[in-house]
Amino acid sequence: VSKDIILEMANKNGQNFIAFCDELRAYVEEHHLFPQKHSRLSHKIKYTRKKINEGALEDWKQVMFEEIADMRDLSIHTGGRKKRE
């Protein structure tokens, strides 16, 4: 890891992002999904995805977030209309 990345991770914004990732990782490990809409954590996820799509998120943050996103179990049905049989 280069010195620039360590310095960036050490600033307040980087520390807050790491805390967010730790909280999100704990939630995903327990529930196997991202949280429901209209929660503080879901708003942060939406903001992070927006920054990724804009290309404005630092690489190390994107790697951390996508690592957590890959932990989800997407086979779980969480709602929507039931399919007619």
Side-chain angles (χ1 to χ4, degrees):
V1 180
S2 70
K3 286 185 179 181
D4 295 332
I5 293 175
I6 292 172
L7 289 175
E8 177 140 355
M9 290 170 73
N11 71 17
K12 185 69 174 169
N13 189 16
Q15 290 172 352
N16 288 341
F17 189 82
I18 291 170
F20 156 68
C21 283
D22 290 342
E23 186 179 355
L24 182 60
R25 183 176 283 113
Y27 187 93
V28 170
E29 285 175 353
E30 182 179 346
H31 300 282
H32 308 290
L33 293 169
F34 277 165
Q36 298 298 318
K37 294 180 183 179
H38 312 301
S39 69
R40 184 183 56 80
L41 207 52
S42 71
H43 292 298
K44 285 187 171 190
I45 291 168
K46 189 173 181 179
Y47 178 79
T48 303
R49 284 188 169 144
K50 177 184 172 194
K51 288 296 177 186
I52 289 172
N53 290 337
E54 291 173 354
L57 195 69
E58 291 91 347
D59 290 338
W60 67 271
K61 290 182 180 181
Q62 185 171 348
V63 168
M64 280 182 79
F65 181 78
E66 289 176 353
E67 190 176 276
I68 296 168
D70 291 341
M71 292 169 50
R72 296 177 295 165
D73 182 7
L74 299 178
S75 66
I76 299 171
H77 180 69
T78 59
R81 291 186 175 198
K82 291 184 180 181
K83 294 182 180 177
R84 291 187 181 195
E85 296 178 15

